[in-house]
Amino acid sequence: MPDTTPLTPMTPHAAISAFNYLRAVQAEDVDAAREFAGAEPRMPELLVDVATRVVVPVTALPSADAGEPCEDTFALEALGRVFVTSLRIWAQAGPDAAEGIARAVIDFAAQFLTEDHEDVADTLRQLEAVGVGQALDAHPAPAGSHPVHLTVV
């Protein structure tokens, strides 16, 4: 039975930290990746949180409006759950697991979310804009603070 527990919204800081790390790993910027990971000891858990928010919608069973799911859709949904569960178990190894988890998330984005004419870095930027936007919606800034405007480059 799939876990249908709603995800606790990420904080803006957590979302930004996770995506900074993902983009640094994707760009092969070892120094920046090391700096981002060092600043956030919970990086593996944050990456699993991001992965869950990316993988589950892509692999979920279609809604009732989409018609009857076929055997392949059940397999894809199960594969998504196995993937996220594996990342969650891997994250328990500690901070050193962050790079491997990041590479798995990047590969998922490249294989499932990136069109032929796109670069995975563009896909990560789009995912970041959505993820940080959701985090900001869930954790609004205090009254009187300056608004934050996100742009996807």
Side-chain angles (χ1 to χ4, degrees):
M1 183 62 92
D3 181 8
T4 57
T5 307
L7 295 171
T8 303
M10 293 183 83
T11 65
H13 175 76
I16 291 167
S17 294
F19 278 102
N20 281 343
Y21 183 77
L22 279 171
R23 286 186 290 106
V25 169
Q26 190 275 326
E28 304 285 336
D29 188 340
V30 176
D31 293 333
R34 188 178 307 119
E35 184 177 325
F36 291 132
E40 179 53 74
R42 294 182 33 247
M43 187 59 71
E45 292 87 3
L46 296 181
L47 294 170
V48 172
D49 200 358
V50 166
T52 302
R53 293 165 198 282
V54 171
V55 172
V56 170
V58 172
T59 63
L61 292 173
S63 68
D65 298 339
E68 289 296 314
C70 67
E71 202 171 291
D72 291 345
T73 56
F74 286 106
L76 183 61
E77 191 268 342
L79 185 60
R81 281 189 285 119
V82 168
F83 181 65
V84 170
T85 299
S86 297
L87 294 179
R88 192 170 288 122
I89 292 167
W90 194 0
Q92 293 173 0
D96 291 339
E99 183 179 352
I101 294 168
R103 292 196 182 282
V105 172
I106 292 164
D107 193 45
F108 182 90
Q111 297 299 318
F112 286 92
L113 304 174
T114 303
E115 300 291 328
D116 291 337
H117 63 281
E118 288 182 310
D119 180 28
V120 72
D122 296 332
T123 302
L124 290 175
R125 277 192 288 278
Q126 292 168 10
L127 291 171
E128 179 179 23
V130 170
V132 173
Q134 290 171 344
L136 288 170
D137 289 345
H139 301 276
S145 62
H146 297 289
V148 174
H149 299 284
L150 298 175
T151 56
V152 178
V153 181

